[in-house]
Amino acid sequence: MSKVITPKEKDYSQWYNDLVIKAGLADYSAVRGCMVIKPYGYAIWERMQAQLDSMFKATGHSNAYFPLLIPKSFFTKEASHVEGFAKECAVVTHYRLKNSDKGIVVDEDAKLDEELIIRPTSETIIWNTYKGWIQSYRDLPLLINQWANVVRWEMRTRLFLRTAEFLWQEGHTAHATKEEALEETLKILDIYSDFAEKWMCMPVIKGTKTENERFAGALETYCIEALMQDGKALQAGTSHFLGQNFAKAFDVTFLTKEGTSEHVWASSWGVSTRLMGALVMAHSDNEGLIIPPLLAPIQVVIVPIYREESQLTKINEVVEGIKRELESKGIRVKYDNDDKHSPGWKFAEYELKGVPVRLGIGPKDLENGTIEVARRDTRQKQFMPIGQAVEHVKNLLDEIQQNLYKTAHTFRDTNTFTANTYTEFKEILDKKSGFVYAHWDGTKETEEKIKEDTKATIRCIPLNQKPEEGKCIFSGKPSKQRVIFAKAY
């Protein structure tokens, strides 16, 4: 397979697809709209999963697992929830196949008494379960997370960004008071923000969604929004304050300390393998992936450069010590002395896969006591004494992590604009794209008309933004603060 990648300046969409496929992150599957996550892509997802899981557990959450199949009747109990997901649901109607003269067919005699929905999200099945788990204030708070797959029947799909089936985590918590549930919702938002910025090197803006964009069944949806290199926004995580909606729908009550019966308060929250797409688009270039060291399955690759087996033997002896010392410092290292490919092929391959640091060593290096160090983010190379390499690489990984965040932050700042008129707003979107701060009158009608006219949506109403009196760019009606518009994935 050709490893040539379409330049992103020529066709950003094709560049993304080329990169995901050719870097070995994922592949198309025989099932329309679904993907196969390949080992290298899954290794990155495992790094994300492990870090997020530790952050959840550090704040008191426990993992559990709930059924993939949900009775259809559960969805009818929360009206806005079923309305929000009705068009995306896959439905199981029968439980058996049989042979016929036409081949394998559905056995019409094996029709389910009640259809089952393949989970698009798990609020309904979980709150039906919580009814049996929660009786008194002593059972609260209940802080549960699950790692699972979900199905949302998407018509237009794209690897990692939008697929019919995807992997995610979904947290579902129950609390005695509104204040506790809100505190939980914002705590998780902070976890998502910290993970995106410190681990993914991806600056995000925290905010609330408009009523139009709110999660079905939530009173408030909080989100983190990131800007990709093509100037489009990507919603990287959401945390929802559910109020008592699901508790009332499934009659989940608890006995208070005072002896009264009340419905519990709730939150739900999640991030998905969409973060893999964000990771690709936030940092990568025309040569391949660029992966932040903290998430890289391989942080350092060592490639021997030789022509004769005797040379490789000597290189192996030196590299063994370097590799052992790097690993002792907790660095993930691969020594690729496989003879199936040339050093040049390996250099290109590991550049494509975004390995943060590459070390090259050959016979002349052994003579000189030096080693070549190449960093993926800037593609800079330098030679240094072998004895200094390990400490240098350790520091270099930290430097790359910081540089990737700084570069992404600078890009976002450069592509963030302010519009005071609708004409100015459309000119920015036509010529530059990016985040646009503008006044909005707070109505669904205006929001929908702007989207229809420009394809830009309100990504969020930023948190901690100072009030600013103004006029809506579209309607001219009064506005108390600016919101963030952008074209988005």
Side-chain angles (χ1 to χ4, degrees), residues 19 71 159 236 287 294 357-358 399 402 424 451 458 466:
L19 205 44
L159 295 172
E287 307 306 317
L294 288 178
V357 175
R358 185 188 75 232
E399 185 181 324
Q402 294 168 16
E424 187 180 9
K451 179 180 179 180
I458 298 175
K466 292 181 180 179

Side-chain angles (χ1 to χ4, degrees), residues 341-397:
H341 297 287
S342 69
W345 186 94
K346 292 176 184 178
F347 288 174
E349 180 69 6
Y350 292 114
E351 187 170 59
L352 174 64
K353 289 185 175 294
V355 176
V357 175
R358 185 188 75 232
L359 302 181
I361 184 167
K364 288 187 178 180
D365 297 304
L366 294 183
E367 290 177 14
N368 298 328
T370 60
I371 191 167
E372 183 189 52
V373 181
R375 54 186 290 178
R376 177 63 184 89
D377 60 334
T378 62
R379 304 183 77 194
Q380 292 176 332
K381 302 173 186 177
Q382 66 180 115
F383 286 89
M384 64 173 43
I386 291 174
Q388 297 176 17
V390 171
E391 192 61 31
H392 176 75
V393 167
K394 182 176 180 296
N395 294 330
L396 186 58
L397 290 170

Side-chain angles (χ1 to χ4, degrees), residues 231-234 429-430 433-434 454-457 459 485-489:
K232 286 186 178 179
L234 187 138
L429 291 175
D430 288 342
S433 211
T454 67
K455 297 183 179 179
T457 56
R459 302 316 306 157
F485 286 89
K487 294 179 181 178
Y489 286 95

Side-chain angles (χ1 to χ4, degrees), residues 155-219:
M155 299 307 294
R156 295 180 180 179
T157 58
R158 197 169 184 188
L159 295 172
F160 288 120
L161 296 176
R162 195 173 293 277
T163 50
E165 180 193 17
F166 54 90
L167 305 182
W168 77 347
Q169 58 73 211
E170 50 179 318
H172 299 271
T173 68
H175 305 266
T177 68
K178 175 182 178 180
E179 291 72 25
E180 286 181 12
L182 267 171
E183 181 184 354
E184 167 77 8
T185 307
L186 291 169
K187 179 189 296 181
I188 296 300
L189 187 73
D190 287 341
I191 287 176
Y192 288 160
S193 175
D194 286 348
F195 174 76
E197 298 198 337
K198 295 176 182 177
W199 286 71
M200 294 181 66
C201 302
M202 185 175 72
V204 294
I205 295 173
K206 294 186 285 188
T208 57
K209 288 292 188 182
T210 64
E211 186 178 349
N212 263 2
E213 299 289 330
R214 195 176 294 158
F215 177 75
L219 297 184

Side-chain angles (χ1 to χ4, degrees), residues 100-137:
S100 75
D101 55 1
K102 296 180 180 179
I104 299 293
V105 297
V106 173
D107 186 344
E108 291 299 330
D109 295 329
K111 189 173 183 179
L112 293 170
D113 292 333
E114 179 182 1
E115 293 94 342
L116 298 171
I117 310 300
I118 300 177
R119 64 172 166 235
T121 181
S122 297
E123 276 77 8
T124 56
I125 189 72
I126 286 177
W127 280 93
N128 181 74
T129 305
Y130 283 1
K131 180 177 173 63
W133 290 3
I134 299 169
Q135 276 80 44
S136 87
Y137 68 90

Side-chain angles (χ1 to χ4, degrees), residues 66-344:
F66 296 86
L68 172 70
L69 302 174
I70 303 172
K72 186 180 72 173
S73 59
F74 285 13
F75 280 84
T76 64
K77 293 186 177 183
E78 215 293 323
S80 59
H81 191 67
V82 69
E83 183 180 353
F85 285 101
K87 295 180 180 179
E88 299 178 347
C89 288
V91 185
V92 178
T93 58
H94 293 72
Y95 61 85
R96 189 167 60 220
L97 302 174
K98 66 178 182 181
N99 286 309
S100 75
D101 55 1
K102 296 180 180 179
I104 299 293
V105 297
V106 173
D107 186 344
E108 291 299 330
D109 295 329
K111 189 173 183 179
L112 293 170
D113 292 333
E114 179 182 1
E115 293 94 342
L116 298 171
I117 310 300
I118 300 177
R119 64 172 166 235
T121 181
S122 297
E123 276 77 8
T124 56
I125 189 72
I126 286 177
W127 280 93
N128 181 74
T129 305
Y130 283 1
K131 180 177 173 63
W133 290 3
I134 299 169
Q135 276 80 44
S136 87
Y137 68 90
R138 295 182 181 88
D139 301 316
L140 300 173
L142 185 57
L143 308 176
I144 300 293
N145 174 65
Q146 80 163 344
W147 293 94
N149 61 336
V150 294
V151 171
R152 295 180 184 176
W153 212 257
E154 300 281 358
M155 299 307 294
R156 295 180 180 179
T157 58
R158 197 169 184 188
L159 295 172
F160 288 120
L161 296 176
R162 195 173 293 277
T163 50
E165 180 193 17
F166 54 90
L167 305 182
W168 77 347
Q169 58 73 211
E170 50 179 318
H172 299 271
T173 68
H175 305 266
T177 68
K178 175 182 178 180
E179 291 72 25
E180 286 181 12
L182 267 171
E183 181 184 354
E184 167 77 8
T185 307
L186 291 169
K187 179 189 296 181
I188 296 300
L189 187 73
D190 287 341
I191 287 176
Y192 288 160
S193 175
D194 286 348
F195 174 76
E197 298 198 337
K198 295 176 182 177
W199 286 71
M200 294 181 66
C201 302
M202 185 175 72
V204 294
I205 295 173
K206 294 186 285 188
T208 57
K209 288 292 188 182
T210 64
E211 186 178 349
N212 263 2
E213 299 289 330
R214 195 176 294 158
F215 177 75
L219 297 184
E220 196 75 81
T221 289
Y222 296 85
C223 64
I224 54 172
E225 294 285 333
L227 192 65
M228 302 297 97
Q229 292 180 74
D230 63 344
K232 286 186 178 179
L234 187 138
Q235 178 182 287
T238 52
S239 186
H240 315 290
F241 171 57
L242 302 179
Q244 295 175 307
N245 286 353
F246 286 91
K248 289 178 178 177
F250 290 88
D251 195 26
V252 183
T253 61
F254 71 103
L255 194 66
T256 68
K257 290 181 180 180
E258 293 73 30
T260 60
S261 180
E262 293 184 10
H263 286 99
V264 299
W265 296 81
S267 81
S268 69
W269 28 274
V271 294
S272 73
T273 38
R274 167 174 268 229
L275 290 180
M276 292 288 294
L279 190 71
V280 172
M281 293 193 292
H283 305 298
S284 303
D285 60 21
N286 290 336
E287 307 306 317
L289 299 174
I290 296 179
I291 305 176
L294 288 178
L295 292 178
I298 305 167
Q299 293 176 303
V300 178
V301 63
I302 307 173
V303 178
I305 304 164
Y306 66 97
R307 292 185 178 180
E308 301 171 3
E309 284 298 318
S310 59
Q311 294 174 330
L312 178 60
T313 300
K314 294 177 181 178
I315 293 170
N316 285 343
E317 292 174 0
V318 174
V319 169
E320 184 180 346
I322 297 171
K323 183 173 183 287
R324 185 169 55 245
E325 196 174 344
L326 285 167
E327 289 174 336
S328 72
K329 295 184 179 296
I331 297 170
R332 296 180 291 281
V333 188
K334 177 177 181 178
Y335 178 38
D336 189 350
N337 59 355
D338 192 311
D339 62 0
K340 295 175 184 175
H341 297 287
S342 69

